[in-house]
């Protein structure tokens, strides 16, 4: 789990979960797609789906089945409204949860939005050797998650360790 000296570009997908946004006004998806490319990663695919747990599960399942996909960033559907279903849709797909991500995200968010951070059900994990990060739908929350956590963990140069450096070992038996 040591950091490497060279940057390793990853193939990442971005999925926006929303009943009201379109690709034309999806500022959160736009931010994530731009940020990952600015960091040196490659946008493998991008999609926008309504809050429908079965459609979410089907698309993410297809992405995690693709050997070329290293990670998936999902924005939206992590709240508590009746239609918010991202955790219910995607948690069953995970081989391993990453509880520290949600905990760290909410801890950082307290400084930005106070106790409202408890309303986030952001989570992360690994499914079929593919990293999955589920973020709130606001652009501000996506920026916080990317800039404070994800960009560093998807950079093989981050010390003392990072998720990118684990990629070769994720399929160990």
């Amino acid at each position: 789990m040591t950091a490497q000296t060279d940057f390793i570009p990853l193939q990442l997908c971005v999925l926006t979960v929303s009943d009201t946004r379109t690709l034309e006004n999806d500022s959160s998806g736009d931010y994530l797609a731009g940020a990952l490319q600015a960091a040196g990663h490659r946008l493998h695919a991008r999609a926008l789906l309504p809050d429908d747990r079965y459609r979410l599960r089907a698309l993410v399942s297809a992405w995690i089945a693709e050997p070329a996909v290293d990670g998936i960033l999902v924005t939206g559907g992590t709240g508590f409204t009746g239609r918010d279903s991202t955790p219910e849709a995607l948690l069953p797909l995970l081989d391993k949860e990453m509880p520290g991500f949600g905990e760290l995200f909410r801890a950082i968010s307290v400084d930005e939005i106070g106790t409202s951070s408890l309303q986030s059900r952001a989570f992360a994990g690994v499914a079929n050797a593919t990293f999955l990060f589920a973020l709130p739908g606001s652009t501000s929350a996506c920026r916080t998650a990317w800039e404070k956590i994800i960009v560093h963990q998807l950079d093989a140069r981050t010390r003392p360790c990072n998720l990118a450096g684990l990629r070769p070992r994720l399929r160990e038996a």
Side-chain angles (χ1 to χ4, degrees):
M1 289 200 320
T2 60
Q4 297 180 1
T5 58
D6 296 327
F7 180 79
I8 301 169
L10 302 177
Q11 296 278 341
L12 303 173
C13 299
V14 173
L15 171 60
T16 300
V17 179
S18 176
D19 289 333
T20 59
R21 293 185 192 174
T22 66
L23 287 175
E24 290 75 36
N25 66 7
D26 176 21
S27 59
S28 297
D30 288 343
Y31 171 78
L32 290 171
L36 72 87
Q37 291 173 346
H41 299 294
R42 296 183 187 111
L43 181 62
H44 182 82
R46 181 172 173 192
L48 189 145
L49 290 176
D51 288 286
D52 177 318
R53 75 178 65 192
Y54 301 105
R55 290 180 65 187
L56 299 178
R57 195 175 292 156
L59 178 59
V60 172
S61 292
W63 281 347
I64 63 175
E66 288 186 44
V69 175
D70 298 308
I72 302 167
L73 306 171
V74 180
T75 173
T78 62
F80 283 99
T81 70
R83 296 281 298 154
D84 289 325
S85 61
T86 298
E88 291 75 19
L90 303 182
L91 282 168
L93 300 178
L94 297 181
D95 299 318
K96 294 184 179 181
E97 290 187 51
M98 191 184 310
F101 173 78
E103 295 163 0
L104 182 57
F105 174 76
R106 285 181 283 280
I108 292 169
S109 296
V110 167
D111 291 337
E112 298 175 7
I113 61 171
T115 59
S116 296
S117 63
L118 67 82
Q119 294 183 36
S120 168
R121 297 189 300 150
F123 65 92
V126 177
N128 193 34
T130 303
F131 296 113
L132 174 76
F133 297 91
L135 316 173
S138 79
T139 304
S140 176
C142 289
R143 184 175 293 109
T144 296
W146 178 262
E147 294 178 3
K148 304 277 176 85
I149 306 169
I150 301 170
V151 71
H152 305 292
Q153 284 299 299
L154 296 185
D155 188 333
R157 301 167 297 186
T158 297
R159 296 194 181 280
C161 59
N162 56 75
L163 295 172
L166 291 177
R167 287 272 309 131
R169 298 189 58 206
L170 292 176
R171 294 190 187 277
E172 289 177 348

